[in-house]
């Protein structure tokens, strides 16, 4: 008779061994995820690769260049996944990367959005209401089908990891193989690949999940983890020139949002989108260009003394801007916001945020119409001492839900696009709703001018400048935030205009015939800093008359 003893420890060990043998090899899971990302979540990437390579078709070495580009992209992704697929943490990281890649793929495919550093910054710094505007039935359905479901499958599938030393050997082999895949073909392709890489860096902005990971890393490195700089005052020599007469001087600066020059009737657009400014006789600057293609760059840049060519956001963040210099000189400055914040520009001047105000007829759970900025405008201006600068930051034409940016009375051009999934509308519908936002902004500017006109004993001026433009489907691109050098003109060519009261024209000796000539000459957001100083006749070594829009037209 034989007696069999069963050890619980041995039984458990055998069970784990059997389960391990049944599991998918870790390298195989990584390969499956890589294949899924390359084929399903990078459709926009391969479309752009095809278009970029088409320009080189027929040239010597074309096929080697094509192979090199593909090897470089495949090797990059394989290398990334090989470095994260470790026991215990590998599956959660792969699942997270699938979710990130799926979200990136949706917005790249639907809107033509490139995940560059500025877009990543906008994602981190956007307000809740604006973020929720991008959450639509289409995006949720896509994420469930192509993000959540595959991620859950990755988490549920059993994975087999070999012993540590063999696993390390496999990983080293995969990493070396991926590195060779990236390096060797590019060396063989030589300068053909060097030229291609230099001219098509934007491909990496639609490469999922590389684009989101790279953009997030650089954003955190630049804006979050970089040591905080101490605030550096500039223009401390700024003083106001002696004022002649006792008339109060007031300037209202309206900072627009997502308005493009192409859809302004003052620019020559076919629809009458600027009737109020036409009636007011505003001076429209027809050749104006933005500093960036996203609010996070353009707003700090336009108030900085740095030009677009030299602009550095961390440096600008640690230096005074135009508002600080004006306040130091003695101007009464106030900022009023209905958009996504002032991006630290108004951090050291009095300000209020009306994005969550509760004004009947103007505000709801989604936010407020821009009329909220004008609810007590006469009283606000009356309380400010002279000279005064009031800045109004509009929500303007912020997309993609343009139809929510204006009251029903301004639904003039139609039929419009009544959904945040603007890519599902026809181009004509998207443009119609967008034009209604421009018409509503014109109404806001008209109300500002009427308010200033109502006080004839005050020398007053209004200036309007949009932060950046917008793509409405041209070249299958929507929204904004593209790299400035490659962005379409719709995202960079912006409206800028100025209205001067008769008293201001008289007392500042502005020659309107000269301004009529100046308005067609090149201008940009570089002009704002110095034009604001010129408005108030601020004397400082920072002031550059050649960048002051009015300097050459004063008698």
């Amino acid at each position: 008779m034989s007696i069999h003893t069963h050890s619980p420890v041995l039984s458990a060990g055998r069970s784990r061994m059997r389960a391990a043998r049944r599991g998918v090899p870790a390298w195989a899971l990584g390969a499956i995820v890589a294949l899924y990302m390359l084929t399903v979540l990078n459709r926009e990437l391969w479309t752009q690769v095809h278009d970029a390579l088409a320009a080189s078709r027929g040239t010597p070495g074309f096929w080697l260049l094509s192979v090199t580009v593909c090897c470089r992209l495949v090797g990059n992704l394989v290398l990334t996944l090989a470095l994260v697929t470790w026991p215990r943490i590998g599956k959660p990281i792969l699942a997270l990367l699938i979710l990130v890649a799926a979200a990136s793929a949706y917005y790249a495919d639907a809107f033509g959005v490139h995940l560059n550093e500025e877009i990543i910054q906008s994602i981190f710094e956007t307000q809740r209401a604006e973020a929720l505007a991008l959450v639509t039935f289409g995006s949720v359905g896509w994420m469930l089908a192509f993000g959540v479901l595959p991620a859950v499958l990755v988490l549920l599938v059993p994975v087999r990891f070999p012993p540590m030393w063999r696993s390390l050997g496999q990983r080293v082999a995969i990493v070396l193989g991926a590195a060779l895949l990236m390096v060797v073909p590019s060396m063989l392709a030589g300068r053909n690949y060097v030229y291609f890489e230099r001219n098509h860096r934007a491909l990496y902005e639609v490469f999922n999940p590389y684009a989101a990971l790279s953009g997030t890393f650089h954003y955190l490195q630049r804006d979050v983890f970089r040591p905080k700089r101490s605030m550096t005052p500039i223009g401390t020599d700024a003083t106001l020139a002696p004022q002649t007469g006792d008339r109060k001087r007031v300037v209202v600066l309206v900072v627009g949002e997502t308005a493009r020059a192409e859809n302004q009737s003052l620019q020559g657009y076919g629809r009458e989108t600027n009737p109020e400014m036409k009636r007011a006789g505003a001076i429209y600057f027809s050749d104006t260009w933005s500093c960036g293609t996203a609010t996070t760059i353009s707003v700090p840049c336009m108030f900085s003394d740095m030009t677009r060519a030299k602009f550095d956001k961390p440096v600008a963040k640690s230096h005074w801007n135009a508002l600080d210099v004006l306040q130091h000189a003695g101007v009464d400055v106030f900022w009023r916001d209905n958009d996504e914040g002032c991006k630290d520009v108004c951090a050291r001047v009095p300000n209020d945020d009306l994005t969550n105000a509760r004004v009947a007829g103007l505000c709801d759970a989604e936010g407020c119409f821009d009329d909220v900025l004008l609810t007590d405008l006469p009283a606000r201006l009356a309380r400010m001492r002279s000279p005064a600068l009031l800045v109004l930051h509009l929500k303007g034409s912020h997309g993609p839900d343009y139809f929510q940016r204006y009251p029903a009375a301004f639904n003039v051009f139609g039929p419009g696009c009544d959904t945040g999934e603007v890519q599902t509308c026809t181009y004509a519908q998207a443009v119609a709703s967008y034009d209604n936002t421009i018409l509503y902004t014109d109404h806001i500017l008209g109300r500002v001018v009427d308010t200033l006109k109502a006080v004839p004993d005050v020398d007053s001026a209004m200036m309007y400048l949009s932060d950046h433009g917008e793509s409405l489907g041209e070249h299958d691109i929507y929204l904004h935030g593209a790299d400035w050098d490659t962005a379409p003109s719709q995202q960079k060519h912006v409206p800028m205009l100025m209205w001067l009261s008769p008293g201001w024209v008289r007392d500042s000796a502005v020659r309107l015939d000269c301004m009529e000539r100046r308005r067609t000459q090149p201008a940009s957001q570089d002009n704002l800093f110095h034009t604001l100083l010129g408005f108030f006749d601020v004397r400082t070594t920072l002031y550059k008359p050649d960048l002051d829009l009015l300097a050459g037209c004063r008698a």
Side-chain angles (χ1 to χ4, degrees):
M1 183 178 68
S2 61
I3 300 174
H4 297 280
T5 59
H6 298 279
S7 167
V9 175
L10 291 175
S11 298
R14 293 191 190 99
S15 298
R16 284 195 296 271
M17 291 176 64
R18 286 194 296 269
R21 284 195 295 269
R22 290 196 302 268
V24 176
W27 67 265
L29 178 63
I32 292 171
V33 171
L35 184 63
Y36 174 68
M37 288 184 176
L38 287 169
T39 56
V40 178
L41 302 183
N42 272 291
R43 292 183 303 174
E44 180 66 19
L45 169 68
W46 297 119
T47 298
Q48 294 201 21
V49 167
H50 176 272
D51 293 343
L53 287 171
S56 302
R57 190 178 300 277
T59 60
F62 168 75
W63 291 110
L64 179 58
L65 174 62
S66 302
V67 171
T68 299
V69 172
C70 294
C71 287
R72 189 85 172 185
L73 295 170
V74 172
N76 188 304
L77 183 57
V78 170
L79 184 63
T80 300
L81 298 186
L83 292 174
V84 302
T85 312
W86 293 91
R88 293 188 177 86
I89 65 170
K91 291 203 298 182
I93 292 179
L94 288 178
L96 177 61
L97 290 179
I98 288 174
L99 293 173
V100 170
S104 304
Y106 176 78
Y107 291 104
D109 293 348
F111 300 115
V113 171
H114 286 208
L115 280 179
N116 54 35
E117 193 173 336
E118 283 68 39
I119 289 293
I120 294 295
Q121 181 178 346
S122 297
I123 291 171
F124 276 100
E125 297 181 3
T126 193
Q127 293 183 337
R128 181 182 63 86
E130 292 177 347
L132 289 176
L134 294 172
V135 180
T136 62
F137 286 113
S139 64
V140 172
W142 169 275
M143 282 300 298
L144 289 175
F146 296 100
V148 175
L149 180 58
V152 170
L153 292 175
V154 166
L155 292 174
L156 292 179
V157 68
V159 178
R160 183 172 74 246
F161 288 93
M164 183 182 68
W165 290 110
R166 200 193 323 165
S167 174
L168 185 59
Q170 288 181 357
R171 203 172 307 279
V172 170
I174 294 173
V175 168
L176 288 176
L180 290 173
L181 196 63
M182 295 171 64
V183 173
V184 173
S186 61
M187 292 176 62
L188 295 175
R191 63 180 183 180
N192 281 350
Y193 180 73
V194 174
Y195 292 149
F196 183 90
E197 179 84 357
R198 184 169 57 192
N199 294 330
H200 299 285
R201 290 296 301 169
L203 289 176
Y204 288 95
E205 295 176 0
V206 291
F207 182 17
N208 302 316
Y210 173 88
L213 298 177
S214 176
T216 299
F217 172 79
H218 286 100
Y219 165 70
L220 295 175
Q221 180 189 48
R222 186 191 70 183
D223 287 345
V224 178
F225 297 130
R226 177 180 287 192
K228 301 297 182 183
R229 304 184 185 204
S230 57
M231 183 57 58
T232 302
I234 62 172
T236 54
D237 62 337
T239 58
L240 295 173
Q243 185 174 346
T244 58
D246 56 357
R247 290 172 64 87
K248 186 175 181 178
R249 295 173 68 80
V250 171
V251 175
V252 177
L253 171 64
V254 183
V255 178
E257 170 66 64
T258 320
R260 67 186 199 179
E262 187 173 304
N263 292 61
Q264 313 289 322
S265 56
L266 290 176
Q267 185 79 32
Y269 186 53
R271 282 176 171 160
E272 186 60 79
T273 53
N274 307 127
E276 292 296 318
M277 289 300 92
K278 180 180 179 180
R279 174 181 61 82
I283 303 164
Y284 181 82
F285 298 86
S286 59
D287 193 16
T288 304
W289 298 83
S290 68
C291 182
T293 62
T295 306
T296 53
I297 295 297
S298 285
V299 168
C301 183
M302 71 168 73
F303 285 94
S304 167
D305 67 319
M306 290 182 279
T307 60
R308 186 189 71 79
K310 298 180 180 179
F311 181 72
D312 182 275
K313 188 181 177 184
V315 173
K317 194 172 183 178
S318 63
H319 284 67
W320 278 8
N321 57 60
L323 303 186
D324 300 300
V325 175
L326 291 170
Q327 182 172 253
H328 176 77
V331 178
D332 189 6
V333 179
F334 194 90
W335 179 289
R336 175 165 281 189
D337 207 287
N338 187 41
D339 196 23
E340 52 186 36
C342 68
K343 309 307 177 188
D344 292 326
V345 168
C346 65
R348 293 165 298 279
V349 301
N351 62 86
D352 61 4
D353 186 348
L354 299 180
T355 53
N356 295 313
R358 294 291 179 263
V359 179
L362 295 179
C363 304
D364 58 22
E366 303 299 324
C368 299
F369 293 126
D370 283 328
D371 268 304
V372 73
L373 295 169
L374 312 180
T375 50
D376 63 343
L377 182 60
R380 163 57 60 188
L381 293 174
R383 288 196 300 271
M384 299 182 74
R385 58 178 174 75
S386 180
L389 171 66
L390 174 63
V391 185
L392 305 177
H393 190 194
L394 305 182
K395 191 179 293 289
S397 304
H398 201 291
D401 46 357
Y402 310 112
F403 70 102
Q404 292 185 340
R405 297 292 171 253
Y406 49 86
F410 292 87
N411 189 14
V412 174
F413 307 113
C417 179
D418 297 333
T419 174
E421 297 183 70
V422 64
Q423 77 283 3
T424 65
C425 296
T426 66
Y427 178 68
Q429 289 172 326
V431 171
S433 290
Y434 182 82
D435 286 347
N436 289 331
T437 69
I438 302 299
L439 182 67
Y440 180 53
T441 293
D442 178 73
H443 156 77
I444 297 296
L445 300 180
R447 283 195 60 190
V448 172
V449 169
D450 288 343
T451 300
L452 296 176
K453 282 182 176 180
V455 193
D457 59 338
V458 173
D459 287 351
S460 55
M462 182 202 71
M463 185 175 180
Y464 168 76
L465 174 60
S466 182
D467 58 353
H468 55 77
E470 184 86 327
S471 290
L472 297 175
E474 300 87 4
H475 314 294
D476 291 324
I477 299 174
Y478 294 85
L479 307 181
H480 53 268
D483 182 75
W484 202 93
D485 291 328
T486 58
S489 62
Q490 288 86 359
Q491 296 188 28
K492 300 183 291 187
H493 189 195
V494 295
M496 178 169 70
L497 58 82
M498 190 182 295
W499 174 85
L500 307 174
S501 72
W504 189 289
V505 172
R506 181 188 65 246
D507 295 340
S508 297
V510 176
R511 293 171 20 235
L512 295 180
D513 60 332
C514 174
M515 291 301 297
E516 180 63 23
R517 293 190 296 273
R518 176 65 184 89
R519 72 176 191 84
T520 59
Q521 297 171 7
S524 73
Q525 292 176 344
D526 294 349
N527 294 106
L528 182 63
F529 182 95
H530 305 280
T531 301
L532 288 176
L533 296 182
F535 268 137
F536 297 102
D537 202 6
V538 173
R539 297 178 177 179
T540 170
T541 54
L542 291 178
Y543 174 66
K544 297 178 181 178
D546 57 314
L547 290 177
D548 179 356
L549 293 170
L550 290 166
C553 292
R554 294 189 182 95

